Amino acid sequence: TMEINVLTNEIAYENTYFLTNDTSTIVIDPGNETDAILNTIRELRNPVVAILLTHAHYDHIMGVEEVRKATGAPVYVSPLEADWLYTPALNLSGLPHHDDDLPDVVVNAAEHTFSVGETYHIGGFEFTVRATPGHSQGGVSFVFEKERLVFTGDALFSGTIGRTDLNTGDMVTLKESIRTQLFTLPDGFRVFPGHGTQTRIGVEKQYNPFFHN
């Protein structure tokens, strides 16, 4: 059985997820509250076997280096955003409007880049990576078929969708991603987004205002 813990970080209210099974832990999108993240990892006790990134915007990667240092776990990211990790202008921490409130976020290169459509077996976990670009070009979602749930990053939220006004964002692409990659999952699948509360595929198909003309 898989247990899911979530920690909502102070910066951008970004959700960091911790998945735990009998032997291992996976961390998804470690945000800025590294002390709290490391405490959660310690409490869960099982070794961290992977750090998975839905995309490489700064609010989703600020804790990567600390978690990697503390756990030795490898980092996985889309090949389309691999260089965003160490390029502040691309992960958006280096934009002028953040000069005062945010240090440049620079993360060392990821150990692995995702192969889209591939099913991964890591530490007793099994998930498939789907490309869900539109919020950013390398956005991916992680589908856990057995557990009937999906981590959607900043593609799909409860009642809304990711913003598309940032670098490589595109509204048409994002809606197409959600339609073809997420709304094709069974209605009962639980959705764990990068911000905000969890929802279900069926609820979003029926009520998400971006899909009702």
Side-chain angles (χ1 to χ4, degrees):
T1 56
M2 184 167 99
E3 184 191 320
I4 300 171
N5 286 277
V6 59
L7 187 149
T8 302
N9 294 274
E10 176 196 12
I11 290 188
Y13 299 112
E14 184 269 337
N15 291 328
T16 297
Y17 292 105
F18 307 84
L19 321 185
T20 310
N21 62 20
D22 298 338
T23 60
S24 316
T25 295
I26 281 178
V27 179
I28 298 177
D29 290 354
N32 78 296
E33 296 200 21
T34 46
D35 288 350
I37 290 170
L38 294 175
N39 278 336
T40 304
I41 288 169
R42 273 194 292 272
E43 280 160 19
L44 293 170
R45 291 210 169 88
N46 291 348
V48 177
V49 290
I51 300 163
L52 308 182
L53 304 179
T54 59
H55 63 300
H57 282 152
Y58 70 86
D59 49 325
H60 295 256
I61 65 171
M62 293 178 80
V64 165
E65 222 39 77
E66 305 245 11
V67 174
R68 175 158 51 185
K69 206 162 52 203
T71 63
V75 174
Y76 293 73
V77 70
S78 162
L80 299 176
E81 296 183 10
D83 60 341
W84 293 24
L85 292 175
Y86 43 82
T87 312
L90 293 176
N91 67 41
L92 307 182
S93 63
L95 296 187
H97 67 263
H98 284 310
D99 282 355
D100 301 330
D101 64 353
L102 194 69
D104 281 359
V105 175
V106 177
V107 173
N108 291 322
E111 283 77 10
H112 303 284
T113 52
F114 289 119
S115 298
V116 166
E118 188 171 317
T119 298
Y120 285 80
H121 299 88
I122 303 173
F125 295 97
E126 181 182 311
F127 62 93
T128 305
V129 177
R130 293 194 178 193
T132 47
H135 171 68
S136 66
Q137 63 185 13
V140 293
S141 296
F142 310 126
V143 176
F144 287 76
E145 200 74 47
K146 237 188 357 254
E147 290 82 9
R148 296 175 59 77
L149 50 90
V150 57
F151 295 88
T152 55
D154 287 2
L156 179 65
F157 301 120
S158 176
T160 186
I161 64 176
R163 56 190 287 191
T164 55
D165 60 336
L166 302 166
N167 175 36
T168 76
D170 182 74
M171 174 70 82
V172 174
T173 304
L174 181 56
K175 288 173 79 167
E176 183 67 8
S177 291
I178 293 169
R179 268 198 204 97
T180 60
Q181 303 303 309
L182 299 176
F183 285 176
T184 48
L185 295 167
D187 284 356
F189 265 54
R190 289 186 293 158
V191 174
F192 292 87
H195 304 265
T197 55
Q198 56 167 291
T199 178
R200 285 181 191 268
I201 291 292
V203 171
E204 297 311 313
K205 266 162 69 171
Q206 201 176 342
Y207 297 112
N208 192 298
F210 283 88
F211 296 93
H212 297 281
N213 304 331

